Amino acid sequence: MSQNTINHLIHDRNARGRSQTGWLDSYHTFSFSSFYDPNRMGFRSLRVINDDRIAPGAGFPTHGHRDMEILTYVLSGAVEHKDSLGTGSVIRPGDVQIMSAGTGIQHSEFNHSQKEALHLLQIWILPDEKGLAPRYEQKAFTQEEKRGQLRLVAAKDGRDGAVTIHQNVDIYASVLEPGDVVNYHLKRDRYAWLQIAQGVANLNGEELRAGDGVQINSEEQLEISTEIGAEFLLFDLT
């Protein structure tokens, strides 16, 4: 972890936790499972960002969650999802899936392919209220919607076609090609987290690589660019 400016704190990709089994290779931005770092307990309502690579045909058997907003963002491959609400779906690149665990939900997640590896980000956000009814929602966002711009993919009010999340947070996705630049003004009473999913990006001139995260602690004008291509998520948090 390194300090960039007063407003920035960079969480280096090489300082993440890592869990490896025969079928799963997972990097943990924040403390998770056997990885514990008191300086990495989440940021605001953002609690988990796991960067998972899952072998063909393998995955997580049925298990339970409660009182957590769980988002899945697929980078390559496809996830086969089943849950106790009766949902059965396949989540592909461009899709954003949210599962509100609420009072309790059981689900399983497997690599849909028997041949290709699966790469995804799993994100947990604390809800603004406990004991909610479990729910599931999934929407597709095209590359064109995200290319060279910030596309809102999750929001408390579900505006602009985003999935609805039980927390005062806006989540944006973007895919940048060489030379692209996007700008975002973080308001004074808000916080932000920038997660580089793929490629290499620059935040206000500082280079960031896949797996790097940046917590932004106060009002700031953000300029995000790339020279070789990048995909990232931006969280605007209370």
Side-chain angles (χ1 to χ4, degrees), residues 95-120:
D95 294 343
V96 175
Q97 175 229 47
I98 184 164
M99 188 177 68
S100 299
T103 54
I105 194 168
Q106 298 280 321
H107 79 133
S108 64
E109 297 169 293
F110 281 85
N111 186 336
H112 184 62
S113 173
Q114 297 296 321
K115 297 180 179 179
E116 298 178 356
L118 166 64
H119 184 197
L120 62 86

Side-chain angles (χ1 to χ4, degrees), residues 118-162:
L118 166 64
H119 184 197
L120 62 86
L121 297 180
Q122 185 169 99
I123 298 150
W124 294 10
I125 293 177
L126 297 166
D128 53 14
E129 184 179 349
K130 291 186 176 182
L132 297 166
R135 61 181 290 272
Y136 178 93
E137 187 180 3
Q138 178 177 334
K139 290 187 177 180
F141 301 90
T142 66
Q143 288 289 93
E144 287 70 27
E145 291 179 84
K146 296 180 288 184
R147 185 169 290 125
Q149 59 188 341
L150 294 168
R151 176 58 166 104
L152 185 69
V153 296
K156 183 174 177 62
D157 57 4
R159 68 186 185 280
D160 299 333

Side-chain angles (χ1 to χ4, degrees), residues 34-127:
S34 60
F35 169 61
Y36 174 74
D37 181 338
N39 295 315
R40 286 178 174 252
M41 296 303 296
F43 179 63
R44 314 306 293 178
S45 60
L46 182 56
R47 179 60 188 85
V48 168
I49 301 177
N50 287 345
D51 187 334
D52 293 342
R53 287 172 171 80
I54 300 171
F60 300 95
T62 301
H63 58 284
H65 298 281
R66 63 183 303 123
D67 291 324
M68 193 66 70
E69 301 291 289
I70 299 173
L71 291 97
T72 300
Y73 187 86
V74 177
L75 296 168
S76 62
V79 181
E80 186 171 340
H81 168 95
K82 293 182 181 178
D83 63 42
S84 53
L85 299 176
T87 308
S89 66
V90 176
I91 309 157
R92 304 182 187 278
D95 294 343
V96 175
Q97 175 229 47
I98 184 164
M99 188 177 68
S100 299
T103 54
I105 194 168
Q106 298 280 321
H107 79 133
S108 64
E109 297 169 293
F110 281 85
N111 186 336
H112 184 62
S113 173
Q114 297 296 321
K115 297 180 179 179
E116 298 178 356
L118 166 64
H119 184 197
L120 62 86
L121 297 180
Q122 185 169 99
I123 298 150
W124 294 10
I125 293 177
L126 297 166

Side-chain angles (χ1 to χ4, degrees), residues 212-230:
D212 285 338
V214 185
Q215 71 178 58
I216 300 153
N217 300 312
S218 62
E219 181 178 16
E220 188 169 352
Q221 186 69 32
L222 309 178
E223 181 182 275
I224 306 164
S225 61
T226 184
E227 296 177 0
I228 67 168

